[in-house]
Amino acid sequence: MATDPDKLDRYIRDLGLSFRTTQQSYVFTCPLCQSKARLYIRKSDGKFKCFKCATYNRFSGQAEYA
């Protein structure tokens, strides 16, 4: 199920986490591997992927699991 982009934006900002943005994504330090700027959450649908962890343990999915 797709996530409302405005609700996702408010939710992420309300959490008070450190992040940066690109045109398409929010970019975080991965909570699993602690790699900086490796976890991306797409603004359009809320899907996330850690580009380090996804290669060995499939750490990706809906934003609430990030």
Short mmCIF file of all heavy atoms in Angstrom, two decimals:
data_model
loop_
_atom_site.label_atom_id
_atom_site.label_comp_id
_atom_site.label_asym_id
_atom_site.label_seq_id
_atom_site.Cartn_x
_atom_site.Cartn_y
_atom_site.Cartn_z
N MET A 1 0.84 -1.18 0.00
CA MET A 1 0.00 0.00 0.00
C MET A 1 0.89 1.24 0.00
O MET A 1 1.83 1.34 0.76
CB MET A 1 -0.90 -0.01 1.23
CG MET A 1 -1.78 1.19 1.31
SD MET A 1 -3.25 0.97 2.32
CE MET A 1 -2.63 1.26 3.93
N ALA A 2 0.59 2.19 -0.84
CA ALA A 2 1.37 3.42 -0.95
C ALA A 2 1.11 4.34 0.23
O ALA A 2 0.03 4.36 0.80
CB ALA A 2 1.02 4.13 -2.25
N THR A 3 2.12 5.09 0.58
CA THR A 3 2.06 6.04 1.68
C THR A 3 1.80 7.43 1.13
O THR A 3 2.37 7.81 0.13
CB THR A 3 3.40 6.03 2.44
OG1 THR A 3 3.63 4.71 2.92
CG2 THR A 3 3.39 6.98 3.59
N ASP A 4 0.95 8.19 1.81
CA ASP A 4 0.70 9.57 1.43
C ASP A 4 1.99 10.38 1.64
O ASP A 4 2.50 10.43 2.76
CB ASP A 4 -0.45 10.13 2.28
CG ASP A 4 -0.76 11.57 1.96
OD1 ASP A 4 0.13 12.43 2.13
OD2 ASP A 4 -1.89 11.84 1.55
N PRO A 5 2.53 11.02 0.60
CA PRO A 5 3.79 11.75 0.72
C PRO A 5 3.78 12.85 1.78
O PRO A 5 4.77 13.05 2.48
CB PRO A 5 4.01 12.34 -0.68
CG PRO A 5 3.26 11.43 -1.58
CD PRO A 5 2.06 10.98 -0.79
N ASP A 6 2.66 13.56 1.92
CA ASP A 6 2.59 14.62 2.94
C ASP A 6 2.61 14.05 4.35
O ASP A 6 3.28 14.60 5.24
CB ASP A 6 1.34 15.47 2.74
CG ASP A 6 1.39 16.29 1.46
OD1 ASP A 6 2.51 16.69 1.05
OD2 ASP A 6 0.33 16.53 0.87
N LYS A 7 1.89 12.96 4.57
CA LYS A 7 1.89 12.32 5.89
C LYS A 7 3.26 11.76 6.22
O LYS A 7 3.73 11.87 7.35
CB LYS A 7 0.85 11.20 5.96
CG LYS A 7 -0.57 11.70 6.02
CD LYS A 7 -1.54 10.55 6.12
CE LYS A 7 -2.97 11.03 6.14
NZ LYS A 7 -3.92 9.92 6.21
N LEU A 8 3.91 11.17 5.24
CA LEU A 8 5.25 10.64 5.45
C LEU A 8 6.22 11.75 5.83
O LEU A 8 7.00 11.62 6.77
CB LEU A 8 5.74 9.92 4.19
CG LEU A 8 7.15 9.33 4.26
CD1 LEU A 8 7.25 8.27 5.35
CD2 LEU A 8 7.54 8.75 2.91
N ASP A 9 6.14 12.88 5.14
CA ASP A 9 7.01 14.02 5.44
C ASP A 9 6.81 14.52 6.86
O ASP A 9 7.77 14.72 7.61
CB ASP A 9 6.76 15.15 4.44
CG ASP A 9 7.70 16.31 4.65
OD1 ASP A 9 8.91 16.15 4.37
OD2 ASP A 9 7.23 17.37 5.12
N ARG A 10 5.55 14.69 7.26
CA ARG A 10 5.27 15.14 8.63
C ARG A 10 5.76 14.13 9.66
O ARG A 10 6.33 14.50 10.69
CB ARG A 10 3.77 15.37 8.82
CG ARG A 10 3.31 16.74 8.40
CD ARG A 10 1.87 16.89 8.69
NE ARG A 10 1.24 15.77 7.98
CZ ARG A 10 0.14 15.82 7.28
NH1 ARG A 10 -0.55 16.88 7.24
NH2 ARG A 10 -0.33 14.79 6.62
N TYR A 11 5.53 12.86 9.41
CA TYR A 11 5.94 11.80 10.33
C TYR A 11 7.45 11.81 10.51
O TYR A 11 7.95 11.79 11.64
CB TYR A 11 5.47 10.45 9.80
CG TYR A 11 5.84 9.30 10.69
CD1 TYR A 11 5.23 9.11 11.91
CD2 TYR A 11 6.84 8.39 10.31
CE1 TYR A 11 5.58 8.05 12.74
CE2 TYR A 11 7.19 7.34 11.12
CZ TYR A 11 6.57 7.17 12.33
OH TYR A 11 6.92 6.13 13.15
N ILE A 12 8.18 11.86 9.43
CA ILE A 12 9.65 11.85 9.51
C ILE A 12 10.15 13.08 10.24
O ILE A 12 11.02 12.99 11.11
CB ILE A 12 10.27 11.73 8.10
CG1 ILE A 12 10.06 10.30 7.59
CG2 ILE A 12 11.75 12.08 8.12
CD1 ILE A 12 10.48 10.08 6.17
N ARG A 13 9.61 14.24 9.94
CA ARG A 13 10.05 15.47 10.60
C ARG A 13 9.68 15.46 12.09
O ARG A 13 10.45 15.93 12.92
CB ARG A 13 9.49 16.68 9.89
CG ARG A 13 10.11 16.84 8.51
CD ARG A 13 9.58 18.04 7.74
NE ARG A 13 10.02 18.00 6.38
CZ ARG A 13 11.25 18.30 5.93
NH1 ARG A 13 12.17 18.65 6.79
NH2 ARG A 13 11.53 18.25 4.65
N ASP A 14 8.53 14.91 12.44
CA ASP A 14 8.10 14.83 13.84
C ASP A 14 8.98 13.90 14.67
O ASP A 14 9.08 14.07 15.88
CB ASP A 14 6.65 14.39 13.95
CG ASP A 14 5.66 15.46 13.53
OD1 ASP A 14 6.07 16.64 13.37
OD2 ASP A 14 4.47 15.13 13.35
N LEU A 15 9.60 12.92 14.03
CA LEU A 15 10.48 12.00 14.77
C LEU A 15 11.74 12.69 15.29
O LEU A 15 12.35 12.22 16.24
CB LEU A 15 10.88 10.82 13.88
CG LEU A 15 9.80 9.80 13.58
CD1 LEU A 15 10.32 8.79 12.57
CD2 LEU A 15 9.35 9.10 14.85
N GLY A 16 12.14 13.77 14.65
CA GLY A 16 13.31 14.51 15.09
C GLY A 16 14.63 13.83 14.72
O GLY A 16 15.66 14.15 15.30
N LEU A 17 14.59 12.92 13.77
CA LEU A 17 15.81 12.24 13.35
C LEU A 17 16.62 13.12 12.41
O LEU A 17 16.09 13.97 11.71
CB LEU A 17 15.46 10.94 12.62
CG LEU A 17 14.69 9.90 13.41
CD1 LEU A 17 14.27 8.75 12.50
CD2 LEU A 17 15.53 9.39 14.56
N SER A 18 17.91 12.88 12.38
CA SER A 18 18.79 13.58 11.46
C SER A 18 18.69 12.93 10.09
O SER A 18 18.80 11.71 9.97
CB SER A 18 20.22 13.52 11.99
OG SER A 18 21.09 14.12 11.08
N PHE A 19 18.46 13.73 9.06
CA PHE A 19 18.37 13.21 7.70
C PHE A 19 18.66 14.33 6.72
O PHE A 19 18.71 15.49 7.07
CB PHE A 19 16.98 12.62 7.42
CG PHE A 19 15.86 13.62 7.43
CD1 PHE A 19 15.44 14.21 6.25
CD2 PHE A 19 15.23 13.98 8.61
CE1 PHE A 19 14.40 15.13 6.25
CE2 PHE A 19 14.21 14.90 8.62
CZ PHE A 19 13.79 15.47 7.44
N ARG A 20 18.88 13.94 5.49
CA ARG A 20 18.97 14.91 4.40
C ARG A 20 17.95 14.48 3.35
O ARG A 20 17.40 13.38 3.43
CB ARG A 20 20.38 15.02 3.83
CG ARG A 20 20.87 13.80 3.11
CD ARG A 20 22.31 14.04 2.58
NE ARG A 20 22.81 12.87 1.90
CZ ARG A 20 22.62 12.59 0.61
NH1 ARG A 20 21.93 13.42 -0.15
NH2 ARG A 20 23.11 11.51 0.06
N THR A 21 17.70 15.35 2.40
CA THR A 21 16.73 15.00 1.36
C THR A 21 17.37 15.12 -0.01
O THR A 21 18.31 15.89 -0.22
CB THR A 21 15.49 15.90 1.41
OG1 THR A 21 15.87 17.24 1.18
CG2 THR A 21 14.76 15.78 2.72
N THR A 22 16.84 14.33 -0.92
CA THR A 22 17.11 14.49 -2.34
C THR A 22 15.76 14.79 -2.97
O THR A 22 14.75 14.83 -2.26
CB THR A 22 17.71 13.20 -2.96
OG1 THR A 22 16.73 12.17 -2.94
CG2 THR A 22 18.96 12.76 -2.21
N GLN A 23 15.73 14.95 -4.26
CA GLN A 23 14.46 15.24 -4.91
C GLN A 23 13.47 14.09 -4.71
O GLN A 23 12.27 14.31 -4.57
CB GLN A 23 14.67 15.49 -6.39
CG GLN A 23 13.43 15.99 -7.09
CD GLN A 23 13.73 16.43 -8.51
OE1 GLN A 23 14.85 16.34 -8.97
NE2 GLN A 23 12.72 16.90 -9.20
N GLN A 24 13.96 12.85 -4.64
CA GLN A 24 13.09 11.70 -4.57
C GLN A 24 13.05 10.99 -3.22
O GLN A 24 12.16 10.19 -2.98
CB GLN A 24 13.50 10.68 -5.63
CG GLN A 24 13.34 11.20 -7.03
CD GLN A 24 13.80 10.19 -8.07
OE1 GLN A 24 14.47 9.22 -7.75
NE2 GLN A 24 13.42 10.41 -9.29
N SER A 25 14.01 11.27 -2.33
CA SER A 25 14.13 10.45 -1.11
C SER A 25 14.55 11.25 0.11
O SER A 25 15.10 12.34 0.01
CB SER A 25 15.19 9.36 -1.32
OG SER A 25 14.87 8.54 -2.40
N TYR A 26 14.29 10.62 1.26
CA TYR A 26 14.88 11.04 2.53
C TYR A 26 16.06 10.10 2.75
O TYR A 26 15.96 8.90 2.48
CB TYR A 26 13.90 10.86 3.69
CG TYR A 26 12.63 11.65 3.51
CD1 TYR A 26 11.48 11.06 3.02
CD2 TYR A 26 12.58 13.00 3.85
CE1 TYR A 26 10.31 11.77 2.86
CE2 TYR A 26 11.41 13.73 3.69
CZ TYR A 26 10.29 13.11 3.20
OH TYR A 26 9.13 13.82 3.03
N VAL A 27 17.17 10.63 3.24
CA VAL A 27 18.38 9.82 3.38
C VAL A 27 18.81 9.83 4.84
O VAL A 27 18.97 10.89 5.45
CB VAL A 27 19.51 10.38 2.49
CG1 VAL A 27 20.73 9.48 2.55
CG2 VAL A 27 19.03 10.54 1.05
N PHE A 28 19.01 8.63 5.40
CA PHE A 28 19.33 8.45 6.82
C PHE A 28 20.57 7.59 7.00
O PHE A 28 20.99 6.87 6.11
CB PHE A 28 18.19 7.69 7.52
CG PHE A 28 16.88 8.40 7.51
CD1 PHE A 28 16.00 8.24 6.45
CD2 PHE A 28 16.51 9.21 8.56
CE1 PHE A 28 14.77 8.88 6.44
CE2 PHE A 28 15.28 9.86 8.56
CZ PHE A 28 14.41 9.69 7.50
N THR A 29 21.08 7.62 8.24
CA THR A 29 22.03 6.61 8.67
C THR A 29 21.22 5.35 8.96
O THR A 29 20.16 5.41 9.59
CB THR A 29 22.76 7.06 9.97
OG1 THR A 29 23.51 8.23 9.66
CG2 THR A 29 23.66 5.97 10.50
N CYS A 30 21.69 4.22 8.50
CA CYS A 30 20.96 2.97 8.68
C CYS A 30 21.00 2.54 10.16
O CYS A 30 22.08 2.48 10.75
CB CYS A 30 21.56 1.88 7.81
SG CYS A 30 20.79 0.27 8.03
N PRO A 31 19.84 2.25 10.76
CA PRO A 31 19.83 1.81 12.15
C PRO A 31 20.41 0.40 12.34
O PRO A 31 20.80 0.04 13.44
CB PRO A 31 18.35 1.84 12.53
CG PRO A 31 17.64 1.65 11.24
CD PRO A 31 18.49 2.30 10.19
N LEU A 32 20.50 -0.35 11.27
CA LEU A 32 21.00 -1.72 11.36
C LEU A 32 22.52 -1.78 11.25
O LEU A 32 23.20 -2.32 12.12
CB LEU A 32 20.34 -2.57 10.27
CG LEU A 32 20.45 -4.08 10.42
CD1 LEU A 32 19.80 -4.55 11.71
CD2 LEU A 32 19.77 -4.75 9.23
N CYS A 33 23.07 -1.20 10.19
CA CYS A 33 24.52 -1.29 9.96
C CYS A 33 25.27 -0.03 10.37
O CYS A 33 26.49 0.01 10.34
CB CYS A 33 24.81 -1.63 8.50
SG CYS A 33 24.43 -0.29 7.33
N GLN A 34 24.53 1.04 10.70
CA GLN A 34 25.09 2.33 11.12
C GLN A 34 25.87 3.04 10.01
O GLN A 34 26.63 3.96 10.29
CB GLN A 34 25.98 2.16 12.36
CG GLN A 34 25.24 1.64 13.58
CD GLN A 34 24.10 2.56 14.00
OE1 GLN A 34 24.29 3.77 14.13
NE2 GLN A 34 22.93 2.01 14.19
N SER A 35 25.69 2.65 8.77
CA SER A 35 26.34 3.33 7.65
C SER A 35 25.62 4.65 7.38
O SER A 35 24.40 4.67 7.26
CB SER A 35 26.32 2.47 6.39
OG SER A 35 27.13 1.34 6.57
N LYS A 36 26.38 5.71 7.27
CA LYS A 36 25.80 7.02 7.03
C LYS A 36 25.36 7.15 5.58
O LYS A 36 26.05 6.71 4.67
CB LYS A 36 26.81 8.11 7.36
CG LYS A 36 27.14 8.16 8.83
CD LYS A 36 28.11 9.27 9.13
CE LYS A 36 28.62 9.15 10.54
NZ LYS A 36 27.96 9.93 11.49
N ALA A 37 24.22 7.78 5.39
CA ALA A 37 23.66 8.08 4.06
C ALA A 37 23.52 6.84 3.18
O ALA A 37 23.78 6.89 1.99
CB ALA A 37 24.51 9.15 3.37
N ARG A 38 23.09 5.74 3.78
CA ARG A 38 22.90 4.51 3.01
C ARG A 38 21.44 4.07 2.98
O ARG A 38 21.05 3.28 2.15
CB ARG A 38 23.74 3.37 3.60
CG ARG A 38 25.22 3.63 3.60
CD ARG A 38 25.78 3.70 2.23
NE ARG A 38 25.95 2.35 1.75
CZ ARG A 38 26.52 2.03 0.64
NH1 ARG A 38 26.98 2.96 -0.15
NH2 ARG A 38 26.64 0.79 0.26
N LEU A 39 20.61 4.58 3.91
CA LEU A 39 19.21 4.18 3.95
C LEU A 39 18.38 5.28 3.30
O LEU A 39 18.41 6.43 3.73
CB LEU A 39 18.75 3.97 5.39
CG LEU A 39 17.33 3.39 5.48
CD1 LEU A 39 17.32 2.24 6.45
CD2 LEU A 39 16.33 4.43 5.87
N TYR A 40 17.67 4.90 2.26
CA TYR A 40 16.85 5.84 1.49
C TYR A 40 15.38 5.45 1.65
O TYR A 40 15.03 4.29 1.52
CB TYR A 40 17.20 5.78 0.01
CG TYR A 40 18.49 6.48 -0.33
CD1 TYR A 40 19.71 6.01 0.11
CD2 TYR A 40 18.48 7.63 -1.11
CE1 TYR A 40 20.90 6.65 -0.20
CE2 TYR A 40 19.66 8.29 -1.43
CZ TYR A 40 20.86 7.79 -0.97
OH TYR A 40 22.03 8.44 -1.29
N ILE A 41 14.53 6.45 1.93
CA ILE A 41 13.08 6.25 1.94
C ILE A 41 12.52 7.12 0.83
O ILE A 41 12.69 8.34 0.82
CB ILE A 41 12.46 6.65 3.29
CG1 ILE A 41 13.02 5.79 4.42
CG2 ILE A 41 10.94 6.53 3.22
CD1 ILE A 41 12.51 6.16 5.80
N ARG A 42 11.87 6.47 -0.14
CA ARG A 42 11.28 7.21 -1.26
C ARG A 42 10.12 8.07 -0.80
O ARG A 42 9.24 7.60 -0.07
CB ARG A 42 10.79 6.25 -2.34
CG ARG A 42 11.87 5.71 -3.21
CD ARG A 42 11.30 5.02 -4.43
NE ARG A 42 10.33 4.00 -4.10
CZ ARG A 42 10.38 2.74 -4.51
NH1 ARG A 42 11.36 2.33 -5.28
NH2 ARG A 42 9.45 1.89 -4.17
N LYS A 43 10.11 9.30 -1.22
CA LYS A 43 9.04 10.23 -0.86
C LYS A 43 7.71 9.82 -1.49
O LYS A 43 6.66 10.02 -0.89
CB LYS A 43 9.40 11.64 -1.31
CG LYS A 43 10.56 12.24 -0.56
CD LYS A 43 10.90 13.61 -1.10
CE LYS A 43 12.06 14.22 -0.34
NZ LYS A 43 12.43 15.54 -0.89
N SER A 44 7.74 9.25 -2.66
CA SER A 44 6.51 8.96 -3.40
C SER A 44 5.68 7.85 -2.78
O SER A 44 4.45 7.90 -2.80
CB SER A 44 6.83 8.61 -4.84
OG SER A 44 7.63 7.42 -4.90
N ASP A 45 6.32 6.81 -2.23
CA ASP A 45 5.54 5.68 -1.74
C ASP A 45 5.99 5.13 -0.38
O ASP A 45 5.41 4.18 0.13
CB ASP A 45 5.53 4.55 -2.76
CG ASP A 45 6.91 3.97 -3.04
OD1 ASP A 45 7.89 4.39 -2.39
OD2 ASP A 45 7.01 3.10 -3.91
N GLY A 46 7.03 5.71 0.21
CA GLY A 46 7.46 5.28 1.54
C GLY A 46 8.30 4.01 1.58
O GLY A 46 8.63 3.54 2.65
N LYS A 47 8.67 3.48 0.46
CA LYS A 47 9.51 2.27 0.45
C LYS A 47 10.93 2.67 0.83
O LYS A 47 11.43 3.71 0.42
CB LYS A 47 9.52 1.62 -0.93
CG LYS A 47 8.19 1.17 -1.41
CD LYS A 47 7.88 -0.20 -0.93
CE LYS A 47 6.53 -0.62 -1.50
NZ LYS A 47 6.37 -1.98 -1.66
N PHE A 48 11.59 1.80 1.61
CA PHE A 48 12.96 2.10 2.00
C PHE A 48 13.90 0.98 1.57
O PHE A 48 13.49 -0.15 1.31
CB PHE A 48 13.08 2.31 3.51
CG PHE A 48 13.21 1.03 4.30
CD1 PHE A 48 14.46 0.50 4.57
CD2 PHE A 48 12.10 0.36 4.75
CE1 PHE A 48 14.59 -0.68 5.30
CE2 PHE A 48 12.21 -0.82 5.46
CZ PHE A 48 13.46 -1.34 5.74
N LYS A 49 15.18 1.36 1.53
CA LYS A 49 16.22 0.38 1.23
C LYS A 49 17.54 0.90 1.77
O LYS A 49 17.89 2.05 1.55
CB LYS A 49 16.34 0.17 -0.28
CG LYS A 49 17.41 -0.83 -0.67
CD LYS A 49 17.41 -1.03 -2.18
CE LYS A 49 18.38 -2.11 -2.58
NZ LYS A 49 18.32 -2.36 -4.03
N CYS A 50 18.24 0.05 2.49
CA CYS A 50 19.62 0.35 2.86
C CYS A 50 20.48 -0.29 1.79
O CYS A 50 20.44 -1.50 1.59
CB CYS A 50 20.00 -0.21 4.23
SG CYS A 50 21.79 -0.02 4.57
N PHE A 51 21.27 0.50 1.11
CA PHE A 51 22.05 -0.01 -0.01
C PHE A 51 23.24 -0.85 0.43
O PHE A 51 23.89 -1.46 -0.40
CB PHE A 51 22.46 1.13 -0.93
CG PHE A 51 21.31 1.60 -1.76
CD1 PHE A 51 20.48 2.62 -1.31
CD2 PHE A 51 21.03 1.00 -2.96
CE1 PHE A 51 19.40 3.04 -2.07
CE2 PHE A 51 19.94 1.41 -3.73
CZ PHE A 51 19.12 2.43 -3.28
N LYS A 52 23.49 -0.91 1.72
CA LYS A 52 24.52 -1.83 2.23
C LYS A 52 23.85 -3.11 2.74
O LYS A 52 24.19 -4.21 2.33
CB LYS A 52 25.33 -1.17 3.34
CG LYS A 52 26.43 -2.06 3.87
CD LYS A 52 27.30 -1.34 4.88
CE LYS A 52 28.39 -2.26 5.39
NZ LYS A 52 29.19 -1.60 6.43
N CYS A 53 22.90 -2.97 3.63
CA CYS A 53 22.23 -4.12 4.25
C CYS A 53 21.40 -4.94 3.26
O CYS A 53 21.29 -6.15 3.42
CB CYS A 53 21.32 -3.68 5.38
SG CYS A 53 22.18 -3.00 6.79
N ALA A 54 20.82 -4.30 2.29
CA ALA A 54 19.96 -5.02 1.34
C ALA A 54 20.72 -6.08 0.57
O ALA A 54 20.13 -7.06 0.12
CB ALA A 54 19.30 -4.05 0.38
N THR A 55 22.03 -5.91 0.45
CA THR A 55 22.80 -6.88 -0.31
C THR A 55 23.01 -8.19 0.44
O THR A 55 23.18 -9.23 -0.17
CB THR A 55 24.18 -6.32 -0.72
OG1 THR A 55 24.90 -5.97 0.45
CG2 THR A 55 24.03 -5.11 -1.62
N TYR A 56 23.00 -8.14 1.79
CA TYR A 56 23.23 -9.38 2.52
C TYR A 56 22.09 -9.81 3.43
O TYR A 56 22.04 -10.96 3.86
CB TYR A 56 24.55 -9.35 3.29
CG TYR A 56 24.66 -8.30 4.37
CD1 TYR A 56 24.23 -8.56 5.66
CD2 TYR A 56 25.21 -7.07 4.11
CE1 TYR A 56 24.32 -7.61 6.65
CE2 TYR A 56 25.33 -6.11 5.10
CZ TYR A 56 24.88 -6.40 6.36
OH TYR A 56 24.98 -5.44 7.33
N ASN A 57 21.14 -8.94 3.75
CA ASN A 57 20.02 -9.39 4.58
C ASN A 57 18.66 -8.83 4.15
O ASN A 57 17.71 -8.89 4.91
CB ASN A 57 20.27 -9.13 6.06
CG ASN A 57 20.22 -7.67 6.42
OD1 ASN A 57 19.86 -6.83 5.61
ND2 ASN A 57 20.58 -7.34 7.63
N ARG A 58 18.60 -8.27 2.94
CA ARG A 58 17.34 -7.78 2.37
C ARG A 58 16.63 -6.74 3.22
O ARG A 58 15.40 -6.74 3.33
CB ARG A 58 16.40 -8.94 2.07
CG ARG A 58 16.96 -9.92 1.09
CD ARG A 58 15.99 -11.03 0.82
NE ARG A 58 16.61 -12.01 -0.06
CZ ARG A 58 16.05 -13.11 -0.42
NH1 ARG A 58 14.84 -13.41 0.00
NH2 ARG A 58 16.67 -13.95 -1.21
N PHE A 59 17.38 -5.85 3.84
CA PHE A 59 16.80 -4.80 4.67
C PHE A 59 16.18 -3.75 3.76
O PHE A 59 16.83 -2.83 3.30
CB PHE A 59 17.85 -4.20 5.59
CG PHE A 59 17.31 -3.28 6.65
CD1 PHE A 59 16.26 -3.69 7.48
CD2 PHE A 59 17.84 -2.02 6.85
CE1 PHE A 59 15.76 -2.85 8.47
CE2 PHE A 59 17.35 -1.18 7.83
CZ PHE A 59 16.32 -1.60 8.64
N SER A 60 14.89 -3.92 3.50
CA SER A 60 14.13 -2.99 2.66
C SER A 60 12.65 -3.24 2.91
O SER A 60 12.28 -4.23 3.52
CB SER A 60 14.47 -3.21 1.18
OG SER A 60 14.11 -4.51 0.79
N GLY A 61 11.82 -2.31 2.47
CA GLY A 61 10.38 -2.49 2.64
C GLY A 61 9.66 -1.20 2.93
O GLY A 61 10.07 -0.13 2.47
N GLN A 62 8.60 -1.27 3.72
CA GLN A 62 7.81 -0.09 4.09
C GLN A 62 8.54 0.75 5.15
O GLN A 62 9.25 0.21 5.99
CB GLN A 62 6.43 -0.51 4.62
CG GLN A 62 5.54 -1.11 3.56
CD GLN A 62 5.16 -0.11 2.49
OE1 GLN A 62 5.14 1.10 2.69
NE2 GLN A 62 4.86 -0.61 1.32
N ALA A 63 8.32 2.05 5.10
CA ALA A 63 9.05 2.99 5.96
C ALA A 63 8.93 2.67 7.44
O ALA A 63 9.90 2.83 8.20
CB ALA A 63 8.54 4.40 5.71
N GLU A 64 7.80 2.18 7.89
CA GLU A 64 7.63 1.91 9.33
C GLU A 64 8.57 0.82 9.86
O GLU A 64 8.78 0.71 11.04
CB GLU A 64 6.18 1.59 9.69
CG GLU A 64 5.60 0.38 8.99
CD GLU A 64 4.90 0.72 7.68
OE1 GLU A 64 5.14 1.78 7.09
OE2 GLU A 64 4.09 -0.11 7.25
N TYR A 65 9.14 0.03 8.96
CA TYR A 65 10.07 -1.04 9.37
C TYR A 65 11.52 -0.57 9.37
O TYR A 65 12.40 -1.29 9.84
CB TYR A 65 9.91 -2.27 8.50
CG TYR A 65 8.51 -2.84 8.59
CD1 TYR A 65 7.64 -2.77 7.53
CD2 TYR A 65 8.07 -3.41 9.79
CE1 TYR A 65 6.36 -3.27 7.62
CE2 TYR A 65 6.79 -3.92 9.88
CZ TYR A 65 5.94 -3.85 8.80
OH TYR A 65 4.67 -4.33 8.91
N ALA A 66 11.76 0.63 8.83
CA ALA A 66 13.13 1.15 8.80
C ALA A 66 13.54 1.59 10.19
O ALA A 66 14.65 1.65 10.56
CB ALA A 66 13.24 2.31 7.81
#
